[in-house]
Amino acid sequence: SSGINAEYGGVYWPDVNENFSTLAGQLNFLQKALTKEDTPRLQNLVMLPLMTSTGTGPDTTLEQLTEGRIPYLAQDSLPNYLRTKLDLEIEKKEHHVSSEVNRITEQNLQQQICDLNNLSDSISDIIQTSRESWDEYSNHGRSSENDNKELVKLMSALETGKGLRSSNRKRG
């Protein structure tokens, strides 16, 4: 075949990438819209579906209102839109993490805090000593006379090409 195979496992990846970028753009727009100062606090508002579709065909009014994102609101898809409880798998993971947190004793927590404080103090000391040694080196380690000579050589090389080696290749 001529070209790269963009289809793998029955999925056409350029379409997946395009859909992902569209979704990312919409989420970014939604985040910006929700963080504006004049946006009302949505958790204080109640949304009640007044009517659901009985058929499986698209509801043109709903599709137009949601700009094509929700083609129909049926009994089987309504819980997904109104879900307030986590999925069972996510709920199990959250319970596991919270039980791990609750197992840490006060003594272990204080020991971890003490260890992190000691570590940050030692890192701070290393940074400070490095900074001091660097300042010593930069202030006393080199003479300004040598720096000026090197600067003059560099400037003359840039301006006139003085001191640059020419290659012996023949052009042609």
Side-chain angles (χ1 to χ4, degrees):
S1 73
S2 64
I4 298 174
N5 186 5
E7 191 168 334
Y8 179 76
V11 176
Y12 189 65
W13 288 104
D15 287 344
V16 171
N17 287 338
E18 182 178 330
N19 290 339
F20 179 77
S21 65
T22 301
L23 180 63
Q26 290 173 349
L27 286 174
N28 190 20
F29 172 76
L30 181 63
Q31 182 181 12
K32 286 181 182 177
L34 292 177
T35 56
K36 286 185 179 177
E37 291 180 14
D38 58 343
T39 303
R41 306 267 313 174
L42 295 180
Q43 63 260 31
N44 297 334
L45 302 177
V46 177
M47 182 184 86
L48 296 172
L50 300 177
M51 189 171 50
T52 60
S53 302
T54 55
T56 58
D59 181 0
T60 56
T61 306
L62 181 64
E63 193 171 12
Q64 185 179 19
L65 287 173
T66 60
E67 297 176 352
R69 289 184 294 276
I70 302 174
Y72 64 94
L73 190 61
Q75 295 288 342
D76 58 343
S77 65
L78 187 61
N80 292 332
Y81 295 121
L82 300 177
R83 177 170 286 144
T84 57
K85 186 176 178 181
L86 297 174
D87 284 335
L88 186 59
E89 183 178 320
I90 295 172
E91 195 171 327
K92 286 179 182 177
K93 287 181 181 179
E94 183 181 27
H95 180 70
H96 175 71
V97 168
S98 63
S99 66
E100 290 285 326
V101 168
N102 290 333
R103 279 196 293 178
I104 298 175
T105 64
E106 183 71 25
Q107 185 179 8
N108 287 347
L109 186 61
Q110 288 299 325
Q111 181 61 39
Q112 287 179 357
I113 290 172
C114 187
D115 290 344
L116 285 174
N117 284 337
N118 290 337
L119 181 64
S120 64
D121 288 342
S122 66
I123 290 173
S124 177
D125 290 342
I126 290 170
I127 291 172
Q128 186 63 32
T129 56
S130 296
R131 181 179 293 150
E132 290 169 359
S133 67
W134 176 256
D135 287 342
E136 281 181 25
Y137 172 74
S138 63
N139 290 336
H140 303 293
R142 301 182 322 185
S143 69
S144 61
E145 186 176 315
N146 287 339
D147 288 344
N148 288 338
K149 287 180 183 177
E150 290 296 319
L151 182 63
V152 168
K153 283 182 184 179
L154 179 63
M155 292 304 294
S156 65
L158 287 173
E159 290 176 359
T160 62
K162 183 179 177 183
L164 295 178
R165 296 185 188 128
S166 64
S167 64
N168 291 332
R169 293 187 316 182
K170 292 181 182 177
R171 294 185 182 180

